[in-house]
Amino acid sequence: MKKVAVILSGSGVYDGSELQEAIVTLLSLDRAGVQAVCFAPNIEQHHVINHLTGEEDSAASRNVLVEAARINRGDVQDLANCVVEEFDGVVVVGGFGVAKNLSDFAINGAQSTVDSTTLFALKEFSKLSRPALYMCIAPALLPCVYGKGVELTIGNDPATIEAIEAMGGIHIERDVEGIVVDETRQVISTPAYMLAQSISQAATGIENGVTQLVKMMA
């Protein structure tokens, strides 16, 4: 059975992983006969958002690894302990946690950096040419992981595209169901909730991405 590392960034779209994207990803991998193992870095969140009101709770603090455990029934591991050689591929789920916890892209845009534990793991996957799927805002990490010239999509948001291209990424517009495949780097990307208006729309693109990932792992 093929095995894929699924990297999460907390729990909740505004300060962690986008839950619907995470669940669709895990379901799609399971249906494809792939074992998914969830990981998250053991770091504090950038901040905590009240998802009912959309407001920041400045008095609260949460741990990314602890919060990510909510998504997969407690079955999540510290990303620092990920043995990349044991996996056939990797998926990075979207949500603002990617741009706030796994990196500071939401704050610093084109001058952003990636959390050191996350960057090390993702670079190891790239060095071993393991196929990778990045969704939603997660493709913003790709220039830091693969360097200039990596082909990707986040949909069609002009400001995000401008920042990614300033970092050296090559952006290709896709609709919500579409994917971009950088064959040279073995990287797939799909817009998911950067464009989706419903879970079914997000699911179609994610499922297409998972299908391509499984094909590339074979």
Side-chain angles (χ1 to χ4, degrees):
M1 176 183 286
K2 298 293 185 182
K3 188 161 68 168
V4 166
V6 177
I7 298 179
L8 304 172
S9 59
S11 178
V13 59
Y14 301 127
D15 58 9
S17 291
E18 212 297 322
L19 285 150
Q20 294 179 352
E21 291 180 3
I23 298 307
V24 169
T25 296
L26 294 171
L27 178 61
S28 298
L29 289 168
D30 187 58
R31 284 178 167 169
V34 175
Q35 179 186 355
V37 181
C38 291
F39 291 92
N42 187 7
I43 57 175
E44 294 302 301
Q45 289 186 186
H46 170 69
H47 62 190
V48 177
I49 299 294
N50 180 326
H51 281 63
L52 188 61
T53 65
E55 297 176 352
E56 181 180 353
D57 184 350
S58 58
S61 63
R62 293 180 183 172
N63 178 278
V64 172
L65 178 60
V66 172
E67 290 300 296
R70 295 176 180 271
I71 296 175
N72 198 38
R73 301 170 65 87
D75 190 8
V76 63
Q77 300 178 31
D78 187 336
L79 184 57
N81 298 328
C82 178
V83 180
V84 172
E85 291 82 0
E86 295 180 355
F87 294 90
D88 301 288
V90 61
V91 178
V92 184
V93 175
F96 278 110
V98 173
K100 295 176 178 179
N101 303 328
L102 302 189
S103 74
D104 57 5
F105 183 81
I107 298 92
N108 293 320
Q111 284 72 50
S112 62
T113 58
V114 180
D115 162 71
S116 58
T117 299
T118 304
L119 184 61
F120 179 81
L122 294 177
K123 278 185 170 289
E124 287 299 299
F125 278 106
S126 73
K127 288 176 184 176
L128 294 176
S129 298
R130 298 294 198 261
L133 169 61
Y134 288 62
M135 66 190 68
C136 192
I137 192 61
L141 304 179
L142 289 175
C144 295
V145 177
Y146 292 90
K148 294 183 178 180
V150 60
E151 298 177 352
L152 59 97
T153 190
I154 52 85
N156 58 21
D157 181 70
T160 308
I161 292 169
E162 182 179 2
I164 288 173
E165 290 186 336
M167 295 167 69
I170 297 175
H171 187 269
I172 301 169
E173 288 196 19
R174 288 289 187 269
D175 63 22
V176 68
E177 299 180 354
I179 63 173
V180 164
V181 181
D182 186 320
E183 297 282 359
T184 301
R185 296 168 179 82
Q186 297 281 285
V187 179
I188 310 149
S189 52
T190 189
Y193 268 110
M194 288 296 288
L195 288 179
Q197 299 299 309
S198 67
I199 188 172
S200 60
Q201 286 188 346
T204 301
I206 294 168
E207 289 163 355
N208 289 339
V210 168
T211 297
Q212 180 64 30
L213 181 74
V214 172
K215 185 185 301 183
M216 292 164 79
M217 290 191 303

